[in-house]
Amino acid sequence: MVNREAAVLDDPVGASLRGHHAHLARRLGRAAGYLPDVATFCAVPADPGPAEWADLARLLGPGQLADLFSRPVTPPPDWAPVFTLEGRRMTWSGTGPSGPAGPDAATGVVELGPESVPEMLDLVERTRPGPFRPRTPELGTYLGVRDDGRLVAMAGERLRPPGWTEISAVCTAPEARGRGHAARLIEALVARVLARGERPFLHVAEANTGAIALYERLGFTTGEHVTFRGFRTP
């Protein structure tokens, strides 16, 4: 991989908010974040000073979660730590399998629209794949698998820095695991991303060894080890 290609992934939230997701952004000075019902992720420059932290605090409001995602910056001491999670960024290597680009009757993969949001929120509540809010599906395409009409698995597109698309919210209901749903959904999303000339990437918790093994089998390789951090504004 050429380093220049991946440099934008060092600030995927900020790059997305400045570009493809600008219509879902709120800003104050050099601080930015997603609209609160879309995502908790926010961004500051690589060299934030007191002014940038003050702007982010005003943008989010007092006592709110500042989810810095993988940004390795440290807020002022009066920002209370909320979580720290070790993880890794994985990028598509181009060597694994890829399925049809989107919905496919043969695999049971369907596209999920606004009418599916209540089901998506219910599945997220039962599986806890990571941050997901009522308007999160507006970030990109979400695909799912149904069993007798009930949504039992899904995955979708999240961050969109230039030239890249993050695959996220990969989850399967407990009663439907072991059937290959996650693999089919990821393959369909990879094909969709590649078809528009972009490259897929994703993030995963370091402790989720099962997911890491699946992603490696599907053609993803580890790019960087990252630390996800969240803080509470003063």
Side-chain angles (χ1 to χ4, degrees):
M1 179 188 300
V2 178
N3 289 337
R4 290 191 303 274
E5 283 186 312
V8 69
L9 299 184
D10 291 337
D11 181 23
V13 174
S16 299
L17 289 169
R18 290 188 296 271
H20 192 81
H21 289 157
H23 64 295
L24 299 173
R26 45 179 173 162
R27 299 183 174 280
L28 184 60
R30 298 172 71 199
Y34 280 96
L35 297 174
D37 50 355
V38 174
T40 58
F41 307 137
C42 53
V44 290
D47 57 344
E52 285 74 35
W53 290 117
D55 283 344
L56 184 58
R58 286 195 295 270
L59 180 68
L60 300 180
Q64 297 301 307
L65 175 64
D67 188 337
L68 297 177
F69 202 70
S70 59
R71 204 70 163 139
V73 292
T74 302
D78 57 345
W79 291 53
V82 176
F83 68 84
T84 299
L85 178 67
E86 297 302 321
R88 64 175 69 184
R89 182 179 74 217
M90 304 183 73
T91 56
W92 171 252
S93 66
T95 59
S98 62
D104 180 65
T107 62
V109 173
V110 298
E111 187 163 339
L112 302 175
E115 72 284 350
S116 300
V117 170
E119 293 177 281
M120 298 166 76
L121 291 171
D122 176 71
L123 183 59
V124 166
E125 181 66 25
R126 292 192 292 134
T127 58
R128 303 288 183 179
F132 196 93
R133 296 199 164 190
R135 292 181 62 191
T136 296
E138 294 181 30
L139 295 173
T141 297
Y142 278 76
L143 304 177
V145 175
R146 295 185 180 279
D147 184 1
D148 288 332
R150 186 184 184 191
L151 184 66
V152 296
M154 73 171 186
E157 300 172 347
R158 190 167 67 177
L159 299 179
R160 290 282 302 276
W164 299 81
T165 295
E166 182 193 27
I167 294 175
S168 183
V170 181
C171 56
T172 303
E175 69 274 12
R177 290 173 184 164
R179 304 178 191 174
H181 295 326
R184 287 192 292 275
L185 289 166
I186 294 168
E187 288 176 343
L189 286 168
V190 164
R192 191 184 192 100
V193 173
L194 294 175
R196 58 175 183 250
E198 296 178 347
R199 187 170 178 181
F201 74 110
L202 51 82
H203 291 90
V204 60
E206 198 65 42
N208 196 349
T209 55
I212 291 171
L214 171 64
Y215 300 149
E216 289 176 339
R217 178 167 62 83
L218 294 176
F220 288 84
T221 58
T222 298
E224 297 286 343
H225 292 274
V226 298
T227 300
F228 303 105
R229 297 181 302 148
F231 297 84
R232 190 76 60 189
T233 59

